[in-house]
């Protein structure tokens, strides 16, 4: 075998090894989507993206305004029908705030593009919301502002807020429409932006 063939084989082997080395495992992280603490939601995301929902313990049980359907089920059904891949997490009754912090961080790691949060203790979620923003995840508060007070000048607040309504069906429909707008890269109509939220102005 000539030295040229040996040299060519060695170069080919080195190139193959270099390419293999570049394909190591990576942690799941979302492609950045601009949240309102940067330049609004102007990037959009894939139509079949993971959308996280973090709810209170009561969301697993039909309530007064549920029409007989638990809130968690309604979010799964509506977001699936809209073409998304919902990941709905319901906090336990004993330490809901801690469960929600873990859930929010886990959804960021899973690659959720947007997360809807019905907070048990809005102030306790500041760190997790910051992690979400750092990853480019758009955070939408459901009902109460997130956090409950403060200017949001430090970047720790929801990008948008969907106010509650007289029925779970209407609230979920409004929240789903917000996610659809974000997916298209539009500012969502029907949602309060951070500066418009009571206590965050």
């Amino acid at each position: 075998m000539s030295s040229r063939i040996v040299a060519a084989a060695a170069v080919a082997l080195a190139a193959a090894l270099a390419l293999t080395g570049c394909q190591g495992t990576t942690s799941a992280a979302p492609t950045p989507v601009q949240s309102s603490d940067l330049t609004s939601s102007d990037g959009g995301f894939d139509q079949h993206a993971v959308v996280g929902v973090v709810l209170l313990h009561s969301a697993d049980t039909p309530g007064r305004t549920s029409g007989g359907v638990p809130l968690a089920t309604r979010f799964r059904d509506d977001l699936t029908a809209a073409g998304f891949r919902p990941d709905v997490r319901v906090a336990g009754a004993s330490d809901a705030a801690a469960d929600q912090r873990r859930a929010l961080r886990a959804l960021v790691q899973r690659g959720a593009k947007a997360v809807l949060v019905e907070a048990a203790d809005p102030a306790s979620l500041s760190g997790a919301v910051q992690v979400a923003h750092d990853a480019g995840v758009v955070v939408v508060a459901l009902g109460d502002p997130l956090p409950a007070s403060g200017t949001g000048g430090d970047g720790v607040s929801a990008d948008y807020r969907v106010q509650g309504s007289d029925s779970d069906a209407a609230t979920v429909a409004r929240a789903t429409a917000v996610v659809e707008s974000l997916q298209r890269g539009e500012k969502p109509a029907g949602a309060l932006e951070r500066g418009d939220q009571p206590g965050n102005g």
Side-chain angles (χ1 to χ4, degrees):
M1 188 179 280
S2 75
S3 60
R4 285 185 179 176
I5 293 174
V6 172
V11 168
L13 180 61
L17 289 173
L19 287 174
T20 303
C22 291
Q23 296 176 1
T25 58
T26 58
S27 60
T31 301
V33 175
Q34 298 297 322
S35 56
S36 65
D37 55 306
L38 299 174
T39 56
S40 183
S41 56
D42 59 349
F45 46 82
D46 184 75
Q47 188 172 8
H48 305 293
V50 173
V51 174
V53 184
V54 179
L55 300 172
L56 300 174
H57 175 70
S58 58
D60 268 341
T61 307
R64 183 175 53 82
T65 64
S66 69
V69 180
L71 185 62
T73 301
R74 197 176 291 280
F75 266 113
R76 284 187 195 99
D77 291 349
D78 284 25
L79 288 168
T80 298
F84 299 107
R85 291 184 294 144
D87 187 338
V88 180
R89 308 208 178 192
V90 178
S94 61
D95 194 353
D99 285 350
Q100 290 192 325
R101 285 193 299 273
R102 285 190 290 270
L104 187 48
R105 289 173 188 269
L107 288 165
V108 170
Q109 284 299 312
R110 186 175 174 209
K113 300 298 185 179
V115 180
L116 309 169
V117 182
E118 180 189 30
D121 179 5
S124 76
L125 292 179
S126 295
V129 169
Q130 185 64 63
V131 168
H133 282 166
D134 289 345
V137 179
V138 181
V139 179
V140 180
L142 298 172
D144 293 332
L146 179 62
S149 63
T151 64
D154 55 0
V156 185
S157 69
D159 298 293
Y160 299 99
R161 181 166 73 93
V162 174
Q163 292 180 296
S165 65
D166 56 357
S167 76
D168 286 357
T171 299
V172 173
R174 190 178 299 159
T176 300
V178 166
V179 175
E180 289 175 318
S181 293
L182 292 169
Q183 183 272 318
R184 294 189 299 266
E186 303 168 354
K187 282 189 176 183
L192 295 172
E193 291 189 61
R194 181 192 315 157
D196 299 328
Q197 298 175 30
N200 286 342

